[in-house]
Amino acid sequence: MKILAFAASNSSQSINKRLVSSISKYYKEPADIIELIDLNDFEMPLYSHDREVQNGIPQLATDFANKIDWADFILISFAEHNGNYAVAYKNIIDWVSRIKGRKPFPNKPMFLIAASNGKRGGQSVLDIATNRMPFDGGIVLETFSLPEFNTNFEEGKGVINVLYRSQLEAKVRKTKRELAKIQAETN
C-alpha cells in the first residue's frame, strides 16, 4: 500500500507534522511505502480567478495532485488557524480543485487528524475537514483529535496519554480493516 501523509500546515515547527509522522508509523508494513510531504514544497501564489486566467494553473498544483493520485491511503493532520484551515493548505486545495475534471481527493480513503495545544485539539478544523471531504472526493474512514499536544505527545513515543493512545490505536485498527475491505473489493 502507498500512503501519503502530511500536515495541513506550513509551519517549520508544526505539531501536526510531528503527529502525522508518528501516526504514519502504525501503517508501516514490509510492503508499504509511506511518503511524508511538506506543504512548503508546494507553495504557490494565492489562488484567484484572475491569476488562473492570466497564468494558468501552477505546475506545483499538478505535482500535488500527482502525489494524491499515487496514494492508496491518505493521512492528513490539520493545523487550526482561527477555527479553520491553515491558508497554506486551503490555497493548495483551491488550485488543485481547478484542474479540469478532478476533485482534490478522488475516491481516496483517508484518516483525518488534528492537534493543538488547546483543550479541543483542533476539533473545529477537524469538523470542517470531515464535512468537506466528501465534496472533495475523499472517503473519511476515521478522525482523531489530540488536545493539549505538549502534554499528551512525546517525541519518539508518540501519544503518551493512555486514554488518547487507546482511542488512536482503536481508530488505526478500524482504518486498517476498512482498507483491507477496499483492497479486496478492487482486486
Side-chain angles (χ1 to χ4, degrees):
M1 181 168 33
K2 296 175 290 198
I3 300 165
L4 180 65
F6 63 90
S9 168
N10 62 345
S11 170
S12 64
Q13 304 299 312
S14 173
I15 61 175
N16 283 282
K17 188 172 195 174
R18 292 167 54 200
L19 181 61
V20 77
S21 177
S22 174
I23 291 174
S24 72
K25 293 173 186 164
Y26 282 103
Y27 295 92
K28 185 69 175 153
E29 301 295 331
D32 293 341
I33 301 167
I34 299 172
E35 184 172 359
L36 183 64
I37 61 173
D38 187 328
L39 293 191
N40 288 303
D41 295 333
F42 300 92
E43 189 172 321
M44 294 172 261
L46 286 177
Y47 175 78
S48 77
H49 177 72
D50 293 339
R51 281 192 179 105
E52 181 181 357
V53 168
Q54 187 175 34
N55 302 317
I57 296 169
Q59 179 61 44
L60 287 173
T62 301
D63 294 347
F64 191 83
N66 289 339
K67 295 286 186 187
I68 292 167
D69 292 344
W70 166 85
D72 299 312
F73 179 55
I74 299 173
L75 294 165
I76 307 172
S77 190
F78 289 91
E80 185 174 271
H81 290 194
N82 297 315
N84 211 321
Y85 295 133
V87 73
Y89 170 80
K90 175 77 168 66
N91 191 55
I92 291 169
I93 297 307
D94 285 348
W95 278 113
V96 170
S97 74
R98 300 300 298 158
I99 297 171
K100 188 174 173 118
R102 84 167 285 131
K103 291 186 176 188
F105 299 98
N107 297 311
K108 294 298 175 174
M110 50 182 49
F111 185 6
L112 304 182
I113 306 155
S116 78
N117 282 313
K119 292 186 185 295
R120 295 192 69 236
Q123 191 62 53
S124 294
V125 72
L126 190 57
D127 290 344
I128 290 167
T130 302
N131 291 326
R132 179 68 208 169
M133 279 306 166
F135 297 101
D136 288 342
I139 302 166
V140 179
L141 301 181
E142 194 53 83
T143 65
F144 176 74
S145 171
L146 183 64
E148 300 174 330
F149 180 84
N150 287 335
T151 302
N152 294 317
F153 184 91
E154 188 176 313
E155 204 64 45
K157 293 183 180 180
V159 177
I160 57 172
N161 176 289
V162 175
L163 175 63
Y164 294 129
R165 186 179 194 104
S166 173
Q167 290 172 355
L168 171 62
E169 290 174 349
K171 291 172 184 241
V172 167
R173 286 190 300 274
K174 180 183 173 199
T175 59
K176 285 182 175 184
R177 286 191 304 271
E178 292 294 320
L179 287 167
K181 284 181 198 174
I182 291 167
Q183 287 181 327
E185 290 170 4
T186 59
N187 290 336

